Amino acid sequence: MTNHYIDLRNADCIMIIGSNAAENHPIAFKWITAAKERGAKLINVDPRFTRTSSKADLYVRIRSGTDIAFIGGMIRYVLEDMRKHPQDYNIEYLTQYTNAAYIIDEKVKLPGDEGQNGLFSGWTGTSYDSSSWKYASPISASAKLLSPYWSGWEKREDPFPEVAWGDLEERCVLRLLWEHYRRYDTETVSRITGVPVDELEAVYAEYAKTGARGKAGTICYAMGTTQHTYGTQNIRAYAILQLLLANMGVAGGGINALRGTSNVQGSTDMCLLSHILPGYLKVPNDSDGDQTFAGYLARTTPANISPPDGLEGTDPANWWQHTPKYAASLLKAWWPEVDVNDSYHYLPKVKAGKSYAHIGLFEAMDEGKIEGLWVWGQNPAVGGPNSNGERQALGNLKWLVSVDIWLNETAEFWKRPGTTPADIDTEVIVLPAACSYEKEGSISNSGRWAQWRYKAVDAPGGAKPDLEIMSLIMARLKELYAAEKDSKFPDPIVNLDWPYGEHPDPDEVAREINGYALVDFTTAKGREYKKGELIDSFVDLQADGRTASGNWLYCNQYNTWNEDRDGDFPEAKVEYTKLGNSFTAINKLKKRGTVDRSLNGIGLYSDWSWCWPLNRRIIYNRASVDLEGKPWDSEHPVISWDGGWSGDVPDGGWKPIKVALDDGEPARLPFIMKPEGVARIWGYGLKDGPLPEVYEPWESPVVDADGNRVNLMSATVNNPAAFIGDLKNDRGTAARFPYVGTTYRCTEHWQTGIMTRNLPWLNELMPNMYVEIGEDLADNLNIKAGDKVIVSSARGEIEAIAVVTKRFRKVVVNGRSVHHIGVPWHWGYSGLSKGDSGNILTPHVGDANTTIPEYKTFLCNVRRA
């Protein structure tokens, strides 16, 4: 989340899309309810009428997989309204804080341009060459868009003449945006999404109101947004909309991912995804340039992109320019006794263009390229896409280790129904683990708040906390590698710093993640550190090997104890010894201050736990003020300048832009993580285009009269850069599988069901696998509530109980009725309650950028059993 849960109460309009927050995030919904009580409007966009929909002021029933068309139509609406009524929008934010005025390379082409057929410039037949998507050289901007006419609208008394975006300079971002989205008129969007035109216009008008100064709108999303072959571009569409409306960085604004598990944010921060190292550092690859640490840094450290003439800001902070500090400190956290230029070679180098994400791994397993697999707190035999294919792939392993609190389907895949155990050679080892209440440590919630949790009870039997299991294994590995002199590539293991022992202290691990001084040294600003002392802030990390930090983003979760500052939090006091010196520190994750000291009491609660980065509760918050440091929204100020900053921790402590210019100092732009310092409406870093474009799901119900798949927006039907797997991945047709299946969760069960299907009282509440079918479709198929039905796709079929419901109704897409079938995925063949997983039906395809599977849209059929 760019903001946080409590901040939802500050919104004037909340759009929940791809999420059933009322059911899956009930505590978060408390703050949405608080916003509604102060007059905010709630919009819910979902194919299914959910408990969230029941609380919405505007509910939009949409065909699954058509977010880009829906949001694209809203972008078009905002652009059209903005050119007629610029006084209703924050034009200063748009022109000074985004790249709206930047000029793009002369070779750029849009999908709607003649001859492009739905593709951006640079398509090679297998991937995109994105060079034509970048800024023109030298960097330049639209003089018309940055003219005083725009920046001075609030001082004008005469009415504005309408502006034609087509009169802006060619290849200006805002003009390109208009030319791209002018095709997304409400009639076309309606034909694609199934949403009636009048409903589109009503919701567009309501959300566009948040573009006014002093107003804020927020977008909340979850897996219904991301689990598509263009899921990343769905979120990009939200970002473009929020930037047009000046909703980023402000209280009650932002783009807020409602994470489905308590520590998903923390696990992402710590690099559980295959393409990043802790703190979102890039993974080394096998290219020639990455063969040295210096070459890796040259590739991954962005150079400053100086602002063009016309922007008031003169300097991008470009925070990723500090990558050398963070990467060197990470290597020193793991191998403190080894020079970073040498320990860099310990890191694996991925093959450029190869997928190491979930789908890619299982494809490789099925091909026999992977011998062993650790499955830690996961259950891919139920949770993975195309479950029958993934279960098959597990049989090609030599060994499998399952670490979980109960036996699950992955651990028992070798005796699943329809198999002969003697035919499967995989050796399975099960390590019983402690559940969350049986161990101590930290979790980071969706709002980036890292909170300490304490152990409530001991784990039963021989079950151990994950950290203890890891430590025992690593200690034994170090012994084995040290003893076997002819072992292959022993140095990364033998030289690894692992001081934790048999019963590791989570606080000690968290301190290493924070980072500490490896030698006595003094920073450029005069801060003196002793060897072993915890680093106060990632600003003090060093690129020369003097500091160690397991994750630069979490540097500042500890500070050296200061009685005057920290005395109210004795429970957070920590005494420790490191590298021969003893210290006292505060673990801020343990803080539980209940006083809100934010400006106007907007709900930051900065003394409750700690939030990365640097306890900043709303990121990019310098965009919440104007060029002089005054809040756009005086009622909900995040920060404010009065000779110094007050409020939240500012996103960079520099002076406001005009104050800095008056003082003859660099005027820092607010979007500090971007090398140009402004937010990207036009973004050239993705694999499938600089702007979101409508494509159909891999399996789509939209066909022409001959049954051929079509895209109502262009001649290119599917995302050309999407990941398409081969593992038992037959593709269904609309003729054979006429209905749209979509997966989701229910309240009574969680994820793959391991924590819930082994609890009798929850099984009593929700005993069987079921599917939801709309009343109109059920009537057509003569299916009654409680009937057993078979739901099939090109990959397999499942048996379930039919729930005939008003929650699903047909939508009309291009003149044809489209029905959805709702498919939960909590069940499997292990545990107390057994049933088929809905993921038997889902395809082995994924998003072009992340490879997240397309769980939310696939073709299926249904019949009575």
Side-chain angles (χ1 to χ4, degrees), residues 630-653:
K630 297 175 182 176
W632 304 117
D633 183 354
S634 59
E635 184 181 350
H636 302 102
V638 184
I639 59 173
S640 183
W641 178 266
D642 186 12
W645 291 111
S646 57
D648 196 8
V649 177
D651 215 342

Side-chain angles (χ1 to χ4, degrees), residues 566-856:
D566 305 324
D568 291 339
F569 307 101
E571 70 281 1
K573 192 173 187 178
V574 177
E575 295 181 349
Y576 69 99
T577 299
K578 186 72 174 179
L579 301 181
N581 291 320
S582 296
F583 305 94
T584 304
I586 180 171
N587 179 346
K588 299 177 187 176
L589 280 61
K590 298 180 179 180
K591 293 174 68 174
R592 294 297 182 266
T594 57
V595 177
D596 181 20
R597 296 185 175 89
S598 58
L599 300 176
N600 286 12
I602 65 169
L604 300 184
Y605 290 96
S606 298
D607 283 329
W608 182 281
S609 72
W610 176 87
C611 174
W612 70 257
L614 301 178
N615 207 29
R616 184 173 300 128
R617 303 289 160 137
I618 296 178
I619 59 177
Y620 297 122
N621 55 32
R622 284 177 63 244
S624 71
V625 297
D626 64 16
L627 299 174
E628 296 177 341
K630 297 175 182 176
W632 304 117
D633 183 354
S634 59
E635 184 181 350
H636 302 102
V638 184
I639 59 173
S640 183
W641 178 266
D642 186 12
W645 291 111
S646 57
D648 196 8
V649 177
D651 215 342
W654 311 286
K655 296 175 181 178
I657 288 174
K658 284 195 173 178
V659 176
L661 291 173
D662 290 344
D663 292 345
E665 300 176 8
R668 308 274 186 169
L669 290 157
F671 286 86
I672 68 171
M673 301 308 291
K674 294 299 178 188
E676 60 270 69
V678 294
R680 290 179 179 174
I681 288 175
W682 177 277
Y684 50 78
L686 298 181
K687 295 179 181 179
D688 49 354
L691 295 173
E693 167 71 344
V694 163
Y695 298 112
E696 284 294 317
W698 189 62
E699 291 185 337
S700 167
V702 183
V703 294
D704 62 18
D706 297 323
N708 300 309
R709 301 179 185 91
V710 294
N711 179 355
L712 299 177
M713 187 64 76
S714 78
T716 301
V717 178
N718 303 117
N719 186 342
F723 184 93
I724 309 300
D726 297 318
L727 176 56
K728 292 179 70 70
N729 202 30
D730 293 339
R731 190 177 193 180
T733 64
R736 185 179 172 195
F737 302 103
Y739 312 122
V740 175
T742 186
T743 65
Y744 49 83
R745 307 190 305 191
C746 65
T747 300
E748 295 80 5
H749 289 296
W750 194 57
Q751 306 292 71
T752 66
I754 291 305
M755 293 186 71
T756 54
R757 286 189 289 109
N758 285 292
L759 302 178
W761 49 92
L762 289 178
N763 287 334
E764 186 174 353
L765 286 169
M766 187 60 71
N768 301 109
M769 170 63 183
Y770 66 93
V771 295
E772 290 193 293
I773 305 172
E775 291 178 338
D776 43 2
L777 177 59
D779 286 344
N780 294 343
L781 300 176
N782 194 28
I783 292 173
K784 303 292 190 296
D787 285 351
K788 284 188 177 181
V789 296
I790 302 295
V791 182
S792 58
S793 76
R795 273 81 49 197
E797 62 181 34
I798 63 172
E799 184 175 279
I801 302 298
V803 174
V804 177
T805 176
K806 298 180 186 296
R807 287 186 283 269
F808 279 116
R809 294 180 183 174
K810 70 177 181 182
V811 293
V812 178
V813 176
N814 200 30
R816 296 183 178 179
S817 295
V818 172
H819 295 274
H820 289 80
I821 295 176
V823 184
W825 53 280
H826 303 295
W827 278 268
Y829 44 79
S830 300
L832 299 182
S833 174
K834 297 178 174 62
D836 290 330
S837 169
N839 281 325
I840 289 172
L841 306 173
T842 53
H844 228 232
V845 300
D847 173 75
N849 298 281
T850 65
T851 326
I852 193 170
E854 191 161 59
Y855 292 113
K856 296 305 179 191

Side-chain angles (χ1 to χ4, degrees), residues 471-491:
S471 193
L472 289 168
I473 291 167
M474 182 52 68
R476 183 64 177 138
L477 280 174
K478 286 175 70 68
E479 291 177 8
L480 290 170
Y481 271 91
E484 297 178 12
K485 301 302 181 184
D486 59 347
S487 59
K488 185 177 181 180
F489 199 33
D491 290 355

Side-chain angles (χ1 to χ4, degrees), residues 147-318:
S147 69
Y149 171 87
W150 283 101
S151 60
W153 69 264
E154 71 278 9
K155 300 181 178 67
R156 293 174 63 101
E157 295 181 0
D158 54 311
F160 273 85
E162 291 188 10
V163 175
W165 297 125
D167 291 342
L168 297 175
E169 290 86 342
E170 288 188 7
R171 307 189 320 279
C172 162
V173 164
L174 202 61
R175 176 170 170 174
L176 289 172
L177 191 72
W178 169 248
E179 290 176 355
H180 182 64
Y181 285 112
R182 68 191 304 174
R183 301 146 62 220
Y184 289 60
D185 58 89
T186 51
E187 289 77 12
T188 300
V189 170
S190 178
R191 287 199 301 135
I192 295 171
T193 63
V195 182
V197 168
D198 60 336
E199 293 184 18
L200 290 171
E201 291 174 344
V203 74
Y204 291 173
E206 187 61 48
Y207 197 74
K209 294 176 184 177
T210 68
R213 296 192 185 200
K215 297 294 182 181
T218 189
I219 298 177
C220 298
Y221 73 91
M223 297 295 99
T225 289
T226 56
Q227 290 175 346
H228 298 277
T229 44
Y230 34 78
T232 304
Q233 291 286 11
N234 284 341
I235 301 167
R236 274 283 297 140
Y238 304 166
I240 292 169
L241 177 64
Q242 290 293 73
L243 291 171
L244 287 174
L245 297 173
N247 277 331
M248 298 301 294
V250 303
I255 300 173
N256 295 304
L258 305 181
R259 304 294 200 172
T261 309
S262 61
N263 200 29
V264 169
Q265 183 64 56
S267 66
T268 308
D269 300 338
M270 297 298 167
C271 88
L272 245 63
L273 299 178
S274 61
H275 66 293
I276 51 174
L277 297 174
Y280 302 93
L281 299 173
K282 292 181 172 61
V283 167
N285 63 43
D286 65 348
S287 65
D288 291 342
D290 274 22
Q291 295 311 301
T292 66
F293 187 44
Y296 163 80
L297 293 177
R299 177 179 68 86
T300 60
T301 306
N304 282 2
I305 299 176
S306 298
D309 292 340
L311 251 66
E312 296 281 352
T314 63
D315 191 74
N318 183 18

